[in-house]
Amino acid sequence: MSERLTVHRRLRAYRLHHNLYVLVLLVLGMAGAVVAYGRTHEQDGFLPELALAIATSLLASVLVLLSETYVKFKEHTNDIFLEGIEKLGISNLHFQKGELLGGLMDRCEHTFWASGYRLILTRGLVPQIESLARRGVTCRLLVSPPWFEAYRSVYGEQERVMQNYFAVLDAFARGAEQGLPTCEVRFTDKPLFSDTYKVDSQLVTGPYMHNRDPVHGRITANDFFTYELHRHSRLYELVNGEYETLWSDAGEVLDWDRYRAASAGARARDLNDQQLQDVLRQACVPLSPATDAADEVPQRLAALGR
């Protein structure tokens, strides 16, 4: 027999934990009304009657909500699917990742991480990216670019993606105006198995699933569904650790001073995708795979700015 969750985690898995919080508030309110009635019931006026009416009303609400919660809890008692989702650490499933991320980024205060191959979705978040840069949010962008074999093994040689890259990087640069963007961009030759974003403590991810492109007949990676993860869960730790591992093992990092000059030159010319790749590569500098950037991001960014 499978291990059962605690009552509190089962309530959360069944989406009933908010009912419990409301029940606690109602009980506290009812207790307060009872105390108020006990102190005023010998007084003349409407206060005793008001306190009694409030206590009675809250009691009725408690009984109704308690009965509804109990019935729903019993209906889900053997719902192994919901309990399994809770055990995995998944707090919610989504099919509109852009809308989800846009809302989270609008409220982001400290940290934003992103990863990807083609940066199609990330390009759709350019307004939020500019806002993050203006607010000084610390950002990480981990990319497996077209000049690495990991990218070509999935998308081949024909994908036109460099406009996405320049749009995203330019958004960080514009948001920072003349200062150095608080974003470090690393390029990895390792395959990315998940499309991962971290907004403060919220981790949003989903697997890349390789399918046949119906138009060109090539195998491509589709992003079908997305899930949010509980901060204190094993899956959260695994996905976060995967990002950290790939980040620390990356081979190249973007030099923002070089990039600004390269981007300005690229805008002045009509370059094809391969030429844009060459321009971006010239703005990259080697990065030791053994470097752990978690504690050195500010120093490294400052060094690149000199």
Side-chain angles (χ1 to χ4, degrees):
M1 184 176 181
S2 61
E3 179 184 357
R4 298 308 299 268
L5 299 174
T6 63
V7 173
H8 180 264
R9 290 190 65 190
R10 288 168 70 184
L11 285 169
R12 188 169 67 179
Y14 304 156
R15 296 292 188 268
L16 295 174
H17 55 299
H18 293 300
N19 292 39
L20 182 63
Y21 302 151
V22 173
L23 270 172
V24 171
L25 292 176
L26 289 175
V27 170
L28 291 176
M30 182 184 67
V34 170
V35 170
Y37 175 74
R39 291 181 177 180
T40 62
H41 73 282
E42 294 181 353
Q43 300 178 8
D44 295 330
F46 70 98
L47 287 179
E49 288 78 5
L50 178 62
L52 181 61
I54 292 175
T56 304
S57 177
L58 290 176
L59 176 60
S61 299
V62 167
L63 294 175
V64 170
L65 184 57
L66 183 61
S67 62
E68 290 180 353
T69 302
Y70 177 76
V71 169
K72 291 179 181 179
F73 181 83
K74 294 303 291 183
E75 287 177 351
H76 291 293
T77 297
N78 296 315
D79 198 329
I80 305 303
F81 172 75
L82 289 179
E83 291 195 34
I85 292 293
E86 173 66 24
K87 289 178 183 178
L88 280 175
I90 298 174
S91 61
N92 213 341
L93 293 175
H94 299 271
F95 294 91
Q96 301 297 328
K97 181 182 289 185
E99 294 180 7
L100 171 64
L101 287 171
L104 292 174
M105 291 169 71
D106 287 339
R107 301 187 297 273
C108 181
E109 297 180 354
H110 305 291
T111 305
F112 173 72
W113 296 359
S115 66
Y117 287 104
R118 298 179 292 176
L119 302 187
I120 295 174
L121 173 60
T122 310
R123 181 178 183 175
L125 299 170
V126 159
Q128 287 84 358
I129 289 173
E130 286 192 44
S131 180
L132 290 179
R134 283 195 299 270
R135 300 200 303 269
V137 172
T138 300
C139 302
R140 287 182 176 183
L141 180 60
L142 178 66
V143 186
S144 183
W147 56 82
F148 284 146
E149 182 59 33
Y151 178 101
R152 293 193 294 269
S153 66
V154 178
Y155 294 106
E157 304 283 352
Q158 305 303 317
E159 290 287 344
R160 299 180 180 274
V161 299
M162 297 313 298
Q163 293 293 342
N164 297 337
Y165 281 50
F166 277 83
V168 171
L169 297 176
D170 285 345
F172 280 115
R174 283 195 306 271
E177 297 178 346
Q178 300 303 314
L180 188 68
T182 55
C183 176
E184 186 169 6
V185 183
R186 293 192 178 190
F187 301 92
T188 179
D189 60 351
K190 299 293 191 298
L192 303 175
F193 298 109
S194 300
D195 187 20
T196 301
Y197 294 81
K198 188 175 183 181
V199 187
D200 286 336
S201 63
Q202 198 80 11
L203 198 54
V204 177
T205 189
Y208 283 119
M209 292 178 287
H210 291 185
N211 300 109
R212 186 72 63 181
D213 183 344
V215 177
H216 302 99
R218 296 191 303 273
I219 293 179
T220 187
N222 288 329
D223 179 24
F224 174 57
F225 69 94
T226 299
Y227 41 85
E228 292 179 81
L229 302 179
H230 296 312
R231 185 175 180 181
H232 301 291
S233 69
R234 177 59 175 156
L235 185 56
Y236 185 103
E237 294 174 358
L238 288 172
V239 174
N240 191 77
E242 178 190 46
Y243 192 104
E244 291 279 15
T245 299
L246 292 171
W247 180 262
S248 64
D249 197 51
E252 298 177 353
V253 62
L254 186 73
D255 182 318
W256 279 106
D257 286 338
R258 292 187 185 183
Y259 175 77
R260 280 195 166 115
S263 179
R267 285 194 298 269
R269 295 176 290 167
D270 185 17
L271 304 180
N272 61 33
D273 205 69
Q274 183 59 56
Q275 291 171 324
L276 289 174
Q277 285 188 41
D278 295 337
V279 168
L280 184 57
R281 291 201 71 176
Q282 293 173 9
C284 298
V285 295
L287 179 68
S288 171
T291 300
D292 182 359
D295 299 323
E296 299 180 14
V297 171
Q299 295 91 333
R300 182 168 299 279
L301 290 175
L304 292 176
R306 285 197 292 268

